[in-house]
Amino acid sequence: MNRRRAPRRISLSQRRDAPAGGEWRQRKEERWRGQGKAQAREVEEDESCEQHGKEAVPRGTCQTMCPARELQDREVQNRLHRFEMLAGTERVRRPRGDPLRAVKEYTRPAAGKDSTNPTDLRPPAVLLKTVCYLIDDIAASPHLHPWTEVYSFVFDRLRGVKQDMIIQRVSGLNCMAILERTVRFLIYASYRLCGEPLWLYDPRINDTHLQESLSWLLDCYATETGPHPNQEEFQALGLLYNLGSARATQHIMELSGRLRTSPAITLALSINRAFLERNPVRMLRLARRLNFIQGCALHRHLVTCRRDLLLIYSHGYCSRNCRFPLDRLAQLLSLDTSLAAQLCQAYGVDVNQGNQLVFSKAAFTEPGKGKLHCKMYHNIVAEKQRELSVGNIIHGCV
Amino acid sequence: MAHITINQYLQQVYDAIDNHDGSFCAELLSFKHPHVANPRLQLASPEEKCQQLLEPPYDEMVAAHLRCTYAVSNHDFVEAYKFQTALPVMFSVTLDLRIFANSAEQQLQKKGKGQPGEMLEKAAEQLMSCFRVCASDNRAGIEDSKKWGMMFLSNQLFKIYFKINKLHLCKPLIRAIDSSNLKNDYSPAQKVTYKYYVGRKAMFDSDFKPAEEFLSYAFHHCHGSSQKNKRMILIYLLPVKMLLGHMPTHQLLRKYDLMQFADVTKSVSEGNLLLLNEALSKHETFFIRCGIFLILEKLKIITYRNLFKKVYLLLRTHQLPLDAFLVSLKMMQLDDVDIDEVQCILANLIYMGHIKGYISHQHQKLVVSKQNPFPPLSSVS
């Protein structure tokens, strides 16, 4: 601490009537709080002095999506992704990299490796352009197949973007714009790739990164000065994705009154409440009001919701002569009749000849692993997509 | 004390250490003691002086403390907390550490820097290492064992974990204390604090019966003179008791200035959903701040049960038309509820054991058991 300021002396009056113990501390703190502006300015001056003295935060200078050095290295080592190859050179022994399509990879931080070289780091504006390229030209492209490969590529390159942001301690508008798109992409992917084999898409890895990015984004909203025009959307998405979580719910409850009463968050809270109260009829009814990306965020909880319905009905309608019409149940579950019948069978609920259900609490069973395919029951979300393009969904201009 | 020189102060510390006077030594290193107001002791680099007069590790400890007083005198709590580790000494230091971390948090928040909770998390990491040292102390005899520090440290850590909302980190501490053979021998004050936090954790995990046990213990053993602490415990004990069907008396609420619960209590026991919703939104801020809003929402199910029981008592039959329940809900101004939802709510109450019976879809009736169709709340977990 090499400050040039003279150390502050405690005034004589305070010393004279210094009370014993805790009181002294309390008074001192109160006085400190009251000093406000002059205080803040002084501390800020110290900060700028400190920055010149301490090690500076790395500032990137690379203006391309992929640093020149990396592109060269990967070209030589034949480690280009097919989306990064110069058109026409894909089949030769050593394909050439296209500097307009190559994107910096994610690499694990390793001891001895210097990841702070400015020529390898992309400044925030370039990072945002990179993300937009990944969305518009890769994720939303109608020509690139299969989408699992598209996802893997975009997922990895977004991770690289995040890494550059962390090393340069990026904050502010660019940071939030990047995180917002990342979160929307990962939420969309969680819905679109639901049910794909594990070696092509791992929902847990997707979830980890989604939660990290979401958490960082919500922290930005909390600590950076506003306005944040998309905050309502993302707070609601966060709750829908983490439906039923006490932590997520408490977080929403602690937001400002104005935010909490906004339409998207009000709806998300009602759905959350219905889920926690185990009222699947209400929950599914409210879910119909969600838009597409909100539906994507919610979709994995629909499985639990439908299961809950079958479970409580198995108990509530459990009597020998009970007959519940399949059509009615299908309506409640937002499914067509044949799908509803399939779902019932998966849970041990008997469907008789006249398309009537015979509920019995003894008969209800959890379906065996792999027997239930969430994807088969996606229609409630799918029908919301309509004419929306992938690009618009992820950029958020719907 | 406010006028002694640095040499005189260090001499006092040395004497205290030499005479094994732990509590006086703790005072000399505590921020509650007036010596911290002495500008002669507020040194930016006291290490040399300390090394001259004291032996390691005390020289380091005292130097850190003095740098701390310097930092605090400059209102730099961020710097202060960095310089903060004999059990009473440890108690005092760790308590100050947590309080500094709190102030550092506030200071950082004002500047809009850093992740919220960062300072407290770091403080927690340091406390956790202290805890591990205490827990693994197998050498000394029982009187000198560092194990006595375990409950104090746990309580400090609980406070931090609750503040930064990382309750799952409480589990290993609870496990360690539970398996310790000293668990019933700690001081009453420490035990009350401990049970209070464990009770709150149980509440959070929806283990309401154990939560009631812990929080009741804390409430009854809390010293009668600390009204404030008893009130705090009650804030968490009340919702748990209500979920188990025990409503507090108006007397109790008035005694502890908790009238916010009055309308909630009334509405739940009457089955009045309308009043419940009004009461929850009227005191929303208070309930959210205490972190009990979500628990209180669980009372809705109890309220439905009480309302539907009234319908049953009114109609005096065992075959209740579903329409009657729908009407009762509409009277509570729940306009967007339809007959499908009524069936769902009833099915859930049956599933949870609050109603004994079944629904007949064909006859659109709820058929309840002739014996005890609405079992008492305390018997339903």
Side-chain angles (χ1 to χ4, degrees):
Chain A
M1 254 198 318
N2 297 316
R3 303 240 175 101
R4 300 287 159 133
R5 266 183 322 155
R8 194 164 300 129
R9 298 246 166 234
I10 298 175
S11 71
L12 214 52
S13 58
Q14 186 177 359
R15 228 191 309 166
R16 210 179 298 143
D17 44 302
E23 264 183 281
W24 171 84
R25 186 207 314 235
Q26 194 190 23
R27 272 188 31 188
K28 192 133 202 291
E29 277 190 22
E30 279 168 9
R31 183 176 293 225
W32 174 73
R33 267 188 226 121
Q35 288 194 345
K37 285 191 191 132
Q39 188 69 30
R41 239 185 298 125
E42 264 185 88
V43 179
E44 266 157 38
E45 277 165 23
D46 279 329
E47 290 267 313
S48 57
C49 285
E50 239 168 35
Q51 262 189 358
H52 293 312
K54 282 198 183 141
E55 43 179 285
V57 176
R59 295 259 174 268
T61 55
C62 172
Q63 296 298 319
T64 51
M65 296 195 295
C66 184
R69 188 167 56 140
E70 178 182 314
L71 177 55
Q72 200 176 37
D73 286 347
R74 285 204 279 134
E75 212 177 56
V76 163
Q77 295 162 15
N78 207 356
R79 283 194 304 114
L80 292 169
H81 192 283
R82 68 179 178 99
F83 297 161
E84 297 171 309
M85 294 173 186
L86 202 56
T89 67
E90 296 94 338
R91 309 225 191 226
V92 305
R93 197 163 39 97
R94 229 185 53 191
R96 300 276 314 285
D98 183 347
L100 294 175
R101 295 172 72 217
V103 183
K104 183 178 176 187
E105 286 188 316
Y106 167 75
T107 42
R108 219 169 270 291
K113 188 163 71 159
D114 178 25
S115 46
T116 60
N117 186 344
T119 53
D120 287 339
L121 290 171
R122 299 158 290 178
V126 178
L127 288 173
L128 183 55
K129 282 207 202 99
T130 307
V131 172
C132 291
Y133 166 79
L134 287 169
I135 295 171
D136 298 324
D137 289 63
I138 309 287
S141 163
H143 308 297
L144 300 176
H145 303 290
W147 210 74
T148 43
E149 195 181 352
V150 168
Y151 165 82
S152 289
F153 180 75
V154 175
F155 180 89
D156 177 85
R157 300 309 191 257
L158 282 177
R159 241 183 132 183
V161 166
K162 198 159 90 157
Q163 202 175 27
D164 276 11
M165 284 209 291
I166 292 174
I167 294 171
Q168 299 174 84
R169 297 191 224 168
V170 175
S171 62
L173 292 172
N174 278 324
C175 176
M176 288 188 275
I178 291 170
L179 288 172
E180 285 173 355
R181 284 160 178 77
T182 305
V183 170
R184 282 197 204 101
F185 170 75
L186 295 172
I187 288 179
Y188 171 66
S190 77
Y191 160 75
R192 180 162 174 176
L193 296 177
C194 171
E196 292 284 344
L198 215 58
W199 63 88
L200 289 176
Y201 165 71
D202 188 339
R204 267 169 318 170
I205 295 179
N206 192 64
D207 175 68
T208 307
H209 288 274
L210 214 183
Q211 300 281 26
E212 268 175 31
S213 305
L214 185 61
S215 185
W216 186 354
L217 179 61
L218 296 182
D219 275 344
C220 287
Y221 290 146
T223 52
E224 312 221 11
T225 49
H228 305 297
N230 297 326
Q231 187 178 176
E232 178 193 335
E233 178 194 349
F234 283 91
Q235 296 285 4
L237 284 176
L239 182 59
L240 290 169
Y241 186 73
N242 289 308
L243 204 71
S245 145
R247 195 187 42 84
T249 315
Q250 181 71 15
H251 166 82
I252 298 282
M253 298 312 294
E254 287 169 359
L255 295 174
S256 76
R258 190 189 49 84
L259 262 180
R260 253 188 302 132
T261 50
S262 63
I265 296 181
T266 308
L267 181 55
L269 268 174
S270 312
I271 295 179
N272 189 50
R273 205 168 281 139
F275 184 73
L276 287 170
E277 281 173 18
R278 215 182 288 118
N279 189 338
V281 166
R282 186 175 186 80
M283 187 183 148
L284 286 165
R285 176 175 303 147
L286 290 170
R288 287 193 207 119
R289 284 199 246 154
L290 296 172
N291 67 25
F292 178 63
I293 191 78
Q294 289 169 330
C296 292
L298 180 73
H299 99 277
R300 61 190 186 147
H301 301 290
L302 294 175
V303 181
T304 315
C305 178
R306 294 191 176 110
R307 171 228 178 236
D308 280 352
L309 185 66
L310 291 174
L311 174 64
I312 63 178
Y313 275 34
S314 291
H315 283 249
Y317 289 90
C318 182
S319 80
R320 235 175 331 124
N321 300 321
C322 163
R323 298 290 177 265
F324 195 98
L326 177 64
D327 288 343
R328 195 59 174 277
L329 189 77
Q331 231 177 15
L332 296 174
L333 292 171
S334 294
L335 294 172
D336 72 32
T337 332
S338 58
L339 275 178
Q342 266 183 306
L343 190 71
C344 288
Q345 269 155 8
Y347 282 95
V349 178
D350 190 25
V351 188
N352 75 4
Q353 295 288 52
N355 264 357
Q356 302 277 338
L357 297 164
V358 184
F359 282 115
S360 150
K361 61 185 170 192
F364 177 88
T365 39
E366 306 282 359
K369 232 181 167 197
K371 269 186 79 185
L372 197 67
H373 301 292
C374 173
K375 202 174 179 79
M376 280 172 60
Y377 308 96
H378 271 188
N379 57 301
I380 188 178
V381 182
E383 63 200 21
K384 297 181 205 281
Q385 185 169 6
R386 278 178 252 116
E387 303 302 314
L388 291 172
S389 74
V390 178
N392 282 345
I393 292 166
I394 302 175
H395 280 301
C397 31
V398 283
Chain B
M1 193 39 71
H3 303 284
I4 61 171
T5 64
I6 175 74
N7 284 333
Q8 287 170 323
Y9 168 77
L10 289 174
Q11 188 63 44
Q12 290 201 7
V13 174
Y14 179 80
D15 288 340
I17 295 170
D18 210 28
N19 296 328
H20 298 289
D21 191 347
S23 37
F24 185 54
C25 193
E27 274 182 59
L28 288 171
L29 291 177
S30 161
F31 266 79
K32 291 199 171 88
H33 195 263
H35 75 271
V36 295
N38 182 351
R40 286 176 176 174
L41 300 182
Q42 290 156 7
L43 301 171
S45 313
E47 287 83 358
E48 259 189 44
K49 258 275 179 299
C50 292
Q51 273 171 1
Q52 273 173 18
L53 286 158
L54 299 168
E55 282 177 23
Y58 301 103
D59 61 335
E60 258 184 53
M61 246 164 71
V62 177
H65 174 69
L66 291 175
R67 284 189 78 158
C68 216
T69 59
Y70 176 69
V72 170
S73 73
N74 289 330
H75 303 298
D76 192 343
F77 290 96
V78 179
E79 197 66 27
Y81 120 90
K82 286 189 203 151
F83 295 106
Q84 280 287 35
T85 80
L87 236 44
V89 177
M90 184 203 71
F91 281 15
S92 163
V93 168
T94 53
L95 182 61
D96 287 335
L97 173 68
R98 184 177 60 77
I99 293 175
F100 281 147
N102 257 321
S103 307
E105 277 281 328
Q106 288 177 25
Q107 194 175 31
L108 282 179
Q109 284 220 2
K110 281 209 171 145
K111 290 195 285 182
K113 297 234 172 101
Q115 306 277 58
E118 206 182 316
M119 293 278 116
L120 284 171
E121 273 202 62
K122 293 209 183 114
E125 277 165 38
Q126 303 212 9
L127 290 176
M128 198 56 192
S129 358
C130 288
F131 181 83
R132 283 195 201 99
V133 168
C134 290
S136 54
D137 179 32
N138 290 315
R139 289 174 294 133
I142 271 291
E143 308 87 53
D144 291 331
S145 173
K146 295 199 189 65
K147 285 195 168 154
W148 289 110
M150 277 168 69
M151 195 171 262
F152 176 84
L153 283 170
S154 294
N155 292 341
Q156 296 299 312
L157 282 163
F158 286 153
K159 288 189 191 167
I160 296 181
Y161 292 150
F162 270 82
K163 190 123 192 233
I164 59 175
N165 219 344
K166 291 214 167 144
L167 272 69
H168 59 282
L169 294 171
C170 297
K171 212 158 111 179
L173 297 169
I174 299 175
R175 232 182 305 137
I177 302 253
D178 253 1
S179 57
S180 135
N181 50 355
L182 295 176
K183 72 173 166 210
N184 291 319
D185 301 326
Y186 291 101
S187 79
Q190 284 186 21
K191 281 204 283 197
V192 164
T193 311
Y194 178 76
K195 298 254 174 171
Y196 165 73
Y197 282 110
V198 177
R200 278 184 66 185
K201 168 93 177 42
M203 227 173 118
F204 192 80
D205 293 335
S206 301
D207 295 328
F208 298 121
K209 286 251 171 69
E212 194 209 356
E213 241 183 72
F214 293 125
L215 290 168
S216 295
Y217 178 98
F219 183 68
H220 288 118
H221 289 83
C222 179
H223 205 273
S225 60
S226 44
Q227 183 89 338
K228 184 165 154 252
N229 283 342
K230 279 190 106 99
R231 180 176 185 266
M232 268 214 316
I233 300 171
L234 213 49
I235 288 176
Y236 298 97
L237 182 55
L238 284 175
V240 173
K241 277 199 137 30
M242 286 201 275
L243 279 168
L244 295 170
H246 307 301
M247 303 298 153
T249 62
H250 251 250
Q251 242 181 333
L252 183 72
L253 295 179
R254 226 177 293 126
K255 179 174 177 192
Y256 289 98
D257 185 27
L258 286 173
M259 291 308 283
Q260 296 94 329
F261 288 94
D263 280 342
V264 175
T265 308
K266 180 161 183 262
S267 57
V268 172
S269 40
E270 288 175 5
N272 189 339
L273 279 156
L274 178 60
L275 184 61
L276 178 64
N277 285 332
E278 279 174 7
L280 286 179
S281 85
K282 186 158 134 196
H283 301 289
E284 198 177 65
T285 321
F286 171 73
F287 292 143
I288 292 175
R289 214 175 356 111
C290 297
I292 52 173
F293 189 83
L294 300 173
I295 306 275
L296 290 174
E297 285 211 315
K298 287 192 206 266
L299 289 171
K300 267 202 201 132
I301 297 197
I302 311 285
T303 316
Y304 279 124
R305 176 256 185 209
N306 288 341
L307 176 65
F308 290 168
K309 182 175 178 182
K310 276 189 159 169
V311 173
Y312 158 73
L313 291 170
L314 267 171
L315 296 180
R316 292 195 287 184
T317 162
H318 294 282
Q319 296 181 353
L320 302 151
L322 295 178
D323 241 354
F325 297 108
L326 183 59
V327 167
S328 72
L329 290 175
K330 294 248 188 249
M331 279 177 60
M332 293 295 161
Q333 295 185 12
L334 272 79
D335 290 318
D336 59 346
V337 177
D338 64 8
I339 201 78
D340 288 319
E341 242 191 273
V342 169
Q343 295 189 20
C344 188
I345 296 170
L346 284 168
N348 190 29
L349 287 171
I350 294 172
Y351 169 71
M352 290 182 80
H354 287 302
I355 301 180
K356 298 224 297 248
Y358 65 89
I359 307 170
S360 164
H361 184 83
Q362 300 100 299
H363 302 285
Q364 291 284 291
K365 285 198 158 93
L366 171 73
V367 181
V368 296
S369 156
K370 293 211 169 80
Q371 277 175 341
N372 202 13
F374 288 84
L377 287 166
S378 46
S379 64
V380 180
S381 75

